[in-house]
Amino acid sequence: MNGTGAETVLPWDWLQVHSEILWATGIASALMMLCGIAIVPWILLRLPSDYFLPARRQRVVPERLPLAVGIPLLVIKNLLGTLLILAGLAMLVLPGQGLLTIILGLALTNFPGKFKLQRRLVAHPSVLNSLNWLRRRFGRPTFLAPAIGRGES
């Protein structure tokens, strides 16, 4: 007991009692690492090299789909993007490619100003160098650097 009358619980004892939390976080961390190692590069390698160049977003999928197909796909795409953003944020402190996963999650989600945010992130030399290292490693043309002017910040 401590001075407040409450019993002191050591971290090791707490983890032994709540071992399912330790297992769940370990599994989640492993899944995020696999996502960072396999899925993120796979998608980034399929983007065109000039994807971040135009000041306005370019369409890479057909604009018209039947509503019965388009709406569920849009919901799934946005849920996956949100999941990747959250996983990327976690990967900033856990094993994995956090920043690349966040960029991919942003690419999948729909919100106002998204493309401008992506361009600003990719305009940072360290981010662009990381993306281009990956593309060079797999024989893809490197991303062309977006020119970010005062009107875009």
Side-chain angles (χ1 to χ4, degrees):
M1 280 210 192
N2 59 19
T4 64
E7 187 175 329
T8 303
V9 178
L10 298 173
W12 179 251
D13 295 334
W14 188 89
L15 283 174
Q16 284 180 328
V17 172
H18 300 92
S19 63
E20 64 276 358
I21 293 174
L22 187 61
W23 279 102
T25 53
I27 291 170
S29 179
L31 287 174
M32 286 186 277
M33 187 177 77
L34 289 175
C35 177
I37 291 172
I39 296 170
V40 172
W42 182 80
I43 293 174
L44 286 173
L45 291 172
R46 275 143 186 80
L47 290 175
S49 62
D50 63 348
Y51 180 76
F52 299 105
L53 270 190
R56 293 201 159 280
R57 183 175 172 263
Q58 62 190 26
R59 298 239 181 243
V60 291
V61 294
E63 289 186 37
R64 288 287 183 198
L65 289 173
L67 283 179
V69 175
I71 291 177
L73 282 178
L74 184 65
V75 169
I76 290 169
K77 180 178 78 90
N78 279 286
L79 286 174
L80 180 61
T82 302
L83 179 67
L84 287 173
I85 291 169
L86 294 174
L89 290 172
M91 282 185 229
L92 292 175
V93 294
L94 297 171
Q97 302 170 345
L99 204 49
L100 296 178
T101 306
I102 291 170
I103 290 171
L104 181 59
L106 288 172
L108 290 176
T109 55
N110 293 6
F111 61 89
K114 170 186 93 168
F115 193 66
K116 188 186 297 187
L117 176 61
Q118 286 177 318
R119 285 172 45 87
R120 288 183 68 198
L121 283 172
V122 173
H124 287 281
S126 60
V127 175
L128 185 63
N129 289 339
S130 295
L131 293 171
N132 284 337
W133 173 85
L134 179 71
R135 290 179 69 87
R136 277 191 302 274
R137 184 168 181 216
F138 288 93
R140 300 292 197 283
T142 58
F143 283 122
L144 302 172
I148 303 298
R150 287 190 177 168
E152 292 194 48
S153 40

PDB file of all heavy atoms in Angstrom, residues 65-85:
ATOM      1  N   LEU A  65     -19.017   5.548 -62.137  1.00  0.00           N
ATOM      2  CA  LEU A  65     -19.341   4.172 -61.800  1.00  0.00           C
ATOM      3  C   LEU A  65     -20.805   4.160 -61.381  1.00  0.00           C
ATOM      4  O   LEU A  65     -21.311   5.157 -60.865  1.00  0.00           O
ATOM      5  CB  LEU A  65     -18.482   3.674 -60.634  1.00  0.00           C
ATOM      6  CG  LEU A  65     -17.004   3.433 -60.890  1.00  0.00           C
ATOM      7  CD1 LEU A  65     -16.293   3.110 -59.586  1.00  0.00           C
ATOM      8  CD2 LEU A  65     -16.804   2.298 -61.868  1.00  0.00           C
ATOM      9  N   PRO A  66     -21.492   3.054 -61.538  1.00  0.00           N
ATOM     10  CA  PRO A  66     -22.865   2.997 -61.030  1.00  0.00           C
ATOM     11  C   PRO A  66     -22.872   3.250 -59.520  1.00  0.00           C
ATOM     12  O   PRO A  66     -21.951   2.852 -58.811  1.00  0.00           O
ATOM     13  CB  PRO A  66     -23.302   1.564 -61.346  1.00  0.00           C
ATOM     14  CG  PRO A  66     -22.346   1.047 -62.360  1.00  0.00           C
ATOM     15  CD  PRO A  66     -21.081   1.827 -62.205  1.00  0.00           C
ATOM     16  N   LEU A  67     -23.903   3.923 -59.031  1.00  0.00           N
ATOM     17  CA  LEU A  67     -23.988   4.244 -57.603  1.00  0.00           C
ATOM     18  C   LEU A  67     -23.871   3.018 -56.716  1.00  0.00           C
ATOM     19  O   LEU A  67     -23.256   3.071 -55.651  1.00  0.00           O
ATOM     20  CB  LEU A  67     -25.295   4.981 -57.293  1.00  0.00           C
ATOM     21  CG  LEU A  67     -25.341   6.449 -57.681  1.00  0.00           C
ATOM     22  CD1 LEU A  67     -26.698   7.043 -57.347  1.00  0.00           C
ATOM     23  CD2 LEU A  67     -24.244   7.230 -57.009  1.00  0.00           C
ATOM     24  N   ALA A  68     -24.456   1.909 -57.143  1.00  0.00           N
ATOM     25  CA  ALA A  68     -24.415   0.685 -56.337  1.00  0.00           C
ATOM     26  C   ALA A  68     -22.991   0.161 -56.174  1.00  0.00           C
ATOM     27  O   ALA A  68     -22.700  -0.557 -55.226  1.00  0.00           O
ATOM     28  CB  ALA A  68     -25.302  -0.388 -56.965  1.00  0.00           C
ATOM     29  N   VAL A  69     -22.103   0.529 -57.075  1.00  0.00           N
ATOM     30  CA  VAL A  69     -20.704   0.115 -56.994  1.00  0.00           C
ATOM     31  C   VAL A  69     -19.853   1.254 -56.439  1.00  0.00           C
ATOM     32  O   VAL A  69     -18.980   1.036 -55.590  1.00  0.00           O
ATOM     33  CB  VAL A  69     -20.182  -0.310 -58.390  1.00  0.00           C
ATOM     34  CG1 VAL A  69     -18.704  -0.626 -58.354  1.00  0.00           C
ATOM     35  CG2 VAL A  69     -20.973  -1.487 -58.914  1.00  0.00           C
ATOM     36  N   GLY A  70     -20.101   2.461 -56.911  1.00  0.00           N
ATOM     37  CA  GLY A  70     -19.263   3.608 -56.560  1.00  0.00           C
ATOM     38  C   GLY A  70     -19.300   3.984 -55.090  1.00  0.00           C
ATOM     39  O   GLY A  70     -18.266   4.239 -54.481  1.00  0.00           O
ATOM     40  N   ILE A  71     -20.488   4.021 -54.493  1.00  0.00           N
ATOM     41  CA  ILE A  71     -20.584   4.435 -53.088  1.00  0.00           C
ATOM     42  C   ILE A  71     -19.912   3.435 -52.151  1.00  0.00           C
ATOM     43  O   ILE A  71     -19.113   3.839 -51.304  1.00  0.00           O
ATOM     44  CB  ILE A  71     -22.051   4.726 -52.708  1.00  0.00           C
ATOM     45  CG1 ILE A  71     -22.498   5.994 -53.438  1.00  0.00           C
ATOM     46  CG2 ILE A  71     -22.204   4.883 -51.193  1.00  0.00           C
ATOM     47  CD1 ILE A  71     -23.942   6.365 -53.224  1.00  0.00           C
ATOM     48  N   PRO A  72     -20.181   2.124 -52.273  1.00  0.00           N
ATOM     49  CA  PRO A  72     -19.448   1.193 -51.397  1.00  0.00           C
ATOM     50  C   PRO A  72     -17.930   1.250 -51.604  1.00  0.00           C
ATOM     51  O   PRO A  72     -17.169   1.177 -50.630  1.00  0.00           O
ATOM     52  CB  PRO A  72     -19.996  -0.182 -51.785  1.00  0.00           C
ATOM     53  CG  PRO A  72     -21.339   0.098 -52.351  1.00  0.00           C
ATOM     54  CD  PRO A  72     -21.223   1.433 -53.029  1.00  0.00           C
ATOM     55  N   LEU A  73     -17.480   1.402 -52.854  1.00  0.00           N
ATOM     56  CA  LEU A  73     -16.036   1.515 -53.097  1.00  0.00           C
ATOM     57  C   LEU A  73     -15.463   2.767 -52.448  1.00  0.00           C
ATOM     58  O   LEU A  73     -14.368   2.739 -51.882  1.00  0.00           O
ATOM     59  CB  LEU A  73     -15.742   1.519 -54.596  1.00  0.00           C
ATOM     60  CG  LEU A  73     -15.782   0.176 -55.303  1.00  0.00           C
ATOM     61  CD1 LEU A  73     -15.518   0.347 -56.793  1.00  0.00           C
ATOM     62  CD2 LEU A  73     -14.792  -0.788 -54.697  1.00  0.00           C
ATOM     63  N   LEU A  74     -16.197   3.869 -52.524  1.00  0.00           N
ATOM     64  CA  LEU A  74     -15.748   5.115 -51.903  1.00  0.00           C
ATOM     65  C   LEU A  74     -15.650   4.970 -50.389  1.00  0.00           C
ATOM     66  O   LEU A  74     -14.673   5.409 -49.774  1.00  0.00           O
ATOM     67  CB  LEU A  74     -16.713   6.252 -52.271  1.00  0.00           C
ATOM     68  CG  LEU A  74     -16.338   7.635 -51.771  1.00  0.00           C
ATOM     69  CD1 LEU A  74     -15.051   8.114 -52.431  1.00  0.00           C
ATOM     70  CD2 LEU A  74     -17.471   8.604 -52.049  1.00  0.00           C
ATOM     71  N   VAL A  75     -16.632   4.332 -49.788  1.00  0.00           N
ATOM     72  CA  VAL A  75     -16.610   4.116 -48.334  1.00  0.00           C
ATOM     73  C   VAL A  75     -15.438   3.219 -47.948  1.00  0.00           C
ATOM     74  O   VAL A  75     -14.686   3.522 -47.007  1.00  0.00           O
ATOM     75  CB  VAL A  75     -17.956   3.525 -47.856  1.00  0.00           C
ATOM     76  CG1 VAL A  75     -17.866   3.058 -46.418  1.00  0.00           C
ATOM     77  CG2 VAL A  75     -19.069   4.548 -48.012  1.00  0.00           C
ATOM     78  N   ILE A  76     -15.250   2.126 -48.678  1.00  0.00           N
ATOM     79  CA  ILE A  76     -14.143   1.201 -48.378  1.00  0.00           C
ATOM     80  C   ILE A  76     -12.802   1.899 -48.551  1.00  0.00           C
ATOM     81  O   ILE A  76     -11.896   1.762 -47.722  1.00  0.00           O
ATOM     82  CB  ILE A  76     -14.242  -0.061 -49.270  1.00  0.00           C
ATOM     83  CG1 ILE A  76     -15.449  -0.900 -48.843  1.00  0.00           C
ATOM     84  CG2 ILE A  76     -12.964  -0.874 -49.216  1.00  0.00           C
ATOM     85  CD1 ILE A  76     -15.798  -2.013 -49.809  1.00  0.00           C
ATOM     86  N   LYS A  77     -12.666   2.672 -49.629  1.00  0.00           N
ATOM     87  CA  LYS A  77     -11.411   3.395 -49.900  1.00  0.00           C
ATOM     88  C   LYS A  77     -11.098   4.375 -48.775  1.00  0.00           C
ATOM     89  O   LYS A  77      -9.971   4.453 -48.296  1.00  0.00           O
ATOM     90  CB  LYS A  77     -11.516   4.120 -51.240  1.00  0.00           C
ATOM     91  CG  LYS A  77     -10.286   4.902 -51.630  1.00  0.00           C
ATOM     92  CD  LYS A  77     -10.451   5.557 -52.978  1.00  0.00           C
ATOM     93  CE  LYS A  77     -11.286   6.777 -52.929  1.00  0.00           C
ATOM     94  NZ  LYS A  77     -10.585   8.019 -52.695  1.00  0.00           N
ATOM     95  N   ASN A  78     -12.103   5.118 -48.320  1.00  0.00           N
ATOM     96  CA  ASN A  78     -11.884   6.081 -47.250  1.00  0.00           C
ATOM     97  C   ASN A  78     -11.606   5.400 -45.910  1.00  0.00           C
ATOM     98  O   ASN A  78     -10.792   5.886 -45.124  1.00  0.00           O
ATOM     99  CB  ASN A  78     -13.073   7.034 -47.148  1.00  0.00           C
ATOM    100  CG  ASN A  78     -12.979   8.129 -48.178  1.00  0.00           C
ATOM    101  OD1 ASN A  78     -12.185   9.043 -48.050  1.00  0.00           O
ATOM    102  ND2 ASN A  78     -13.782   8.025 -49.221  1.00  0.00           N
ATOM    103  N   LEU A  79     -12.271   4.291 -45.639  1.00  0.00           N
ATOM    104  CA  LEU A  79     -11.983   3.544 -44.402  1.00  0.00           C
ATOM    105  C   LEU A  79     -10.558   2.994 -44.421  1.00  0.00           C
ATOM    106  O   LEU A  79      -9.840   3.081 -43.420  1.00  0.00           O
ATOM    107  CB  LEU A  79     -12.992   2.408 -44.216  1.00  0.00           C
ATOM    108  CG  LEU A  79     -14.387   2.817 -43.788  1.00  0.00           C
ATOM    109  CD1 LEU A  79     -15.320   1.607 -43.781  1.00  0.00           C
ATOM    110  CD2 LEU A  79     -14.366   3.470 -42.410  1.00  0.00           C
ATOM    111  N   LEU A  80     -10.144   2.450 -45.564  1.00  0.00           N
ATOM    112  CA  LEU A  80      -8.780   1.952 -45.689  1.00  0.00           C
ATOM    113  C   LEU A  80      -7.771   3.087 -45.538  1.00  0.00           C
ATOM    114  O   LEU A  80      -6.756   2.943 -44.855  1.00  0.00           O
ATOM    115  CB  LEU A  80      -8.592   1.245 -47.028  1.00  0.00           C
ATOM    116  CG  LEU A  80      -7.206   0.673 -47.301  1.00  0.00           C
ATOM    117  CD1 LEU A  80      -6.840  -0.381 -46.273  1.00  0.00           C
ATOM    118  CD2 LEU A  80      -7.143   0.085 -48.700  1.00  0.00           C
ATOM    119  N   GLY A  81      -8.052   4.226 -46.158  1.00  0.00           N
ATOM    120  CA  GLY A  81      -7.163   5.381 -46.027  1.00  0.00           C
ATOM    121  C   GLY A  81      -7.046   5.854 -44.588  1.00  0.00           C
ATOM    122  O   GLY A  81      -5.945   6.143 -44.104  1.00  0.00           O
ATOM    123  N   THR A  82      -8.177   5.912 -43.891  1.00  0.00           N
ATOM    124  CA  THR A  82      -8.160   6.324 -42.485  1.00  0.00           C
ATOM    125  C   THR A  82      -7.369   5.326 -41.645  1.00  0.00           C
ATOM    126  O   THR A  82      -6.577   5.719 -40.776  1.00  0.00           O
ATOM    127  CB  THR A  82      -9.599   6.459 -41.952  1.00  0.00           C
ATOM    128  OG1 THR A  82     -10.294   7.407 -42.769  1.00  0.00           O
ATOM    129  CG2 THR A  82      -9.622   6.911 -40.515  1.00  0.00           C
ATOM    130  N   LEU A  83      -7.556   4.041 -41.902  1.00  0.00           N
ATOM    131  CA  LEU A  83      -6.809   3.008 -41.189  1.00  0.00           C
ATOM    132  C   LEU A  83      -5.311   3.154 -41.438  1.00  0.00           C
ATOM    133  O   LEU A  83      -4.502   3.048 -40.509  1.00  0.00           O
ATOM    134  CB  LEU A  83      -7.288   1.624 -41.619  1.00  0.00           C
ATOM    135  CG  LEU A  83      -6.587   0.446 -40.967  1.00  0.00           C
ATOM    136  CD1 LEU A  83      -6.917   0.388 -39.480  1.00  0.00           C
ATOM    137  CD2 LEU A  83      -6.999  -0.847 -41.640  1.00  0.00           C
ATOM    138  N   LEU A  84      -4.925   3.435 -42.688  1.00  0.00           N
ATOM    139  CA  LEU A  84      -3.503   3.613 -42.999  1.00  0.00           C
ATOM    140  C   LEU A  84      -2.929   4.860 -42.337  1.00  0.00           C
ATOM    141  O   LEU A  84      -1.784   4.852 -41.876  1.00  0.00           O
ATOM    142  CB  LEU A  84      -3.294   3.657 -44.511  1.00  0.00           C
ATOM    143  CG  LEU A  84      -3.439   2.327 -45.236  1.00  0.00           C
ATOM    144  CD1 LEU A  84      -3.377   2.520 -46.736  1.00  0.00           C
ATOM    145  CD2 LEU A  84      -2.379   1.345 -44.784  1.00  0.00           C
ATOM    146  N   ILE A  85      -3.708   5.933 -42.264  1.00  0.00           N
ATOM    147  CA  ILE A  85      -3.230   7.144 -41.579  1.00  0.00           C
ATOM    148  C   ILE A  85      -2.994   6.835 -40.111  1.00  0.00           C
ATOM    149  O   ILE A  85      -1.951   7.192 -39.544  1.00  0.00           O
ATOM    150  CB  ILE A  85      -4.219   8.306 -41.759  1.00  0.00           C
ATOM    151  CG1 ILE A  85      -4.222   8.788 -43.210  1.00  0.00           C
ATOM    152  CG2 ILE A  85      -3.879   9.461 -40.819  1.00  0.00           C
ATOM    153  CD1 ILE A  85      -5.343   9.750 -43.545  1.00  0.00           C
TER     154      ILE A  85
END
